[in-house]
């Protein structure tokens, strides 16, 4: 297929056969898996995934690619959802194809929407068995970062709340066409079997974390002024002079839960 990669869709097509084999082996698909590929592109991963699993669902926004894949594969092999992954209801798809089970997601995610897409997918974590994604290496660094390190931030906190994550493969620009200007990596995300923490209000937690990391060089006291006071910090045993990257996920949860009870004062 002579397809010109579209910048607006963030298209960089994987072509290195060694990397492709490594990713498919990491996913380890089996017949009967409720397997879903996001952004199949020119089928670099699609073909070996179908060969191993027998059937695959794919979410693809580019109508030209959808037309090509529809000609190449039967509906018994590949079911294509021509929609924007950011707006797709993966929970409904799980109801339809997982028979009460969970989805296995895989994909070379468009780098221009990777962060919002990860947050969208995180909202479906109870219906997900695992996820394997190719992402910009910098994004993977942030996802798996430990507290008190430069890469630890909002993405780390909100994804580590729901998933155990590990870097699987580092991928150089030359593995793609056209080569991106950044290094890439494959990350595995596994939902925690049981919630790590009880979150009373996820929206409140998200708002708190956004505010805390608004200015990384400032202290928690400064970033959360008007939201959390020193009395609450003291009650929870948190030093307000720390920077946001020094707090663990559980401490952010404790702060957000305490706010629910009106403990903090402006």
């Amino acid at each position: 297929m002579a397809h010109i990669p579209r910048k607006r869709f963030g298209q960089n097509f994987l072509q290195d056969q060694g990397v492709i084999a490594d990713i498919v082996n990491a996913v380890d698909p089996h017949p009967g898996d409720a397997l879903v590929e996001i952004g199949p592109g020119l089928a670099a991963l699609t073909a070996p995934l179908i060969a191993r699993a027998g059937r695959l669902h794919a979410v693809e926004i580019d109508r030209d690619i959808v037309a090509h894949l529809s000609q190449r594969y039967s509906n018994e092999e590949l079911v294509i959802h021509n929609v924007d992954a950011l707006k797709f209801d993966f929970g409904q798809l799980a109801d339809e194809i997982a028979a009460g089970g969970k989805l296995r997601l895989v994909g070379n995610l468009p780098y221009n929407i990777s962060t919002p897409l990860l947050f969208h997918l995180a909202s479906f974590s109870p219906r997900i068995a695992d996820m394997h994604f190719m992402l910009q290496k910098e994004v993977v660094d942030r996802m798996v970062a430990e507290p008190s390190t430069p890469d630890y931030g909002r993405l780390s906190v909100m994804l580590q709340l729901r998933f155990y994550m590990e870097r699987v493969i580092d991928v150089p620009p030359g593995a793609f066409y056209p080569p991106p200007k950044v290094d890439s990596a494959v990350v595995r995300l596994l939902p925690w079997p049981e919630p790590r923490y009880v979150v009373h209000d996820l929206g409140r937690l998200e708002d708190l974390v956004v505010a805390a990391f608004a200015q990384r060089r400032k202290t928690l006291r400064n970033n959360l002024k008007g939201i959390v006071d020193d009395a609450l910090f003291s009650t929870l045993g948190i030093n307000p002079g720390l920077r946001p990257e020094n707090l663990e996920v559980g401490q952010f949860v404790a702060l957000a839960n305490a706010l629910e009870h009106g403990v903090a004062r402006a």
Side-chain angles (χ1 to χ4, degrees), residues 231-252:
L232 179 56
F233 282 125
S234 178
T235 298
L236 297 176
I238 296 173
N239 179 358
L242 294 175
R243 289 180 176 175
E245 66 264 25
N246 300 128
L247 260 61
E248 297 181 355
V249 176
Q251 292 175 298
F252 279 110

Side-chain angles (χ1 to χ4, degrees), residues 134-244:
M134 176 89 74
L135 296 160
Q136 186 174 336
K137 182 177 178 295
E138 176 185 306
V139 173
V140 175
D141 289 342
R142 288 160 49 205
M143 292 167 68
V144 303
E146 297 286 340
S148 300
T149 63
D151 291 319
Y152 185 77
R154 172 181 174 238
L155 193 63
S156 320
V157 173
M158 297 311 299
L159 290 182
Q160 290 176 24
L161 175 71
R162 290 179 166 126
F163 302 98
Y164 167 77
M165 295 177 290
E166 60 181 343
R167 184 193 315 274
V168 179
I169 308 165
D170 287 329
V171 184
F176 302 88
Y177 172 75
K181 296 179 180 180
V182 297
D183 288 333
S184 304
V186 176
V187 63
R188 176 183 290 122
L189 299 90
L190 302 171
W192 297 106
E194 298 293 337
R196 297 179 72 194
Y197 308 99
V198 176
V199 178
H200 297 166
D201 186 324
L202 185 61
R204 182 178 289 109
L205 174 62
E206 290 174 339
D207 291 344
L208 178 74
V209 173
V210 168
F213 284 100
Q215 299 185 66
R216 294 184 62 94
R217 292 183 177 274
K218 290 194 173 183
T219 65
L220 289 165
R221 178 186 285 117
N222 288 329
N223 281 341
L224 297 180
K225 185 177 181 180
I227 302 173
V228 181
D229 67 4
D230 282 1
L232 179 56
F233 282 125
S234 178
T235 298
L236 297 176
I238 296 173
N239 179 358
L242 294 175
R243 289 180 176 175

Side-chain angles (χ1 to χ4, degrees), residues 1-14 42 62 65 176-179:
M1 175 188 180
H3 181 85
I4 299 175
R6 296 183 176 180
K7 188 173 181 180
R8 70 189 179 101
F9 291 151
Q11 291 176 340
N12 298 92
F13 298 120
L14 187 61
L42 301 184
D62 189 327
I65 288 179
F176 302 88
Y177 172 75

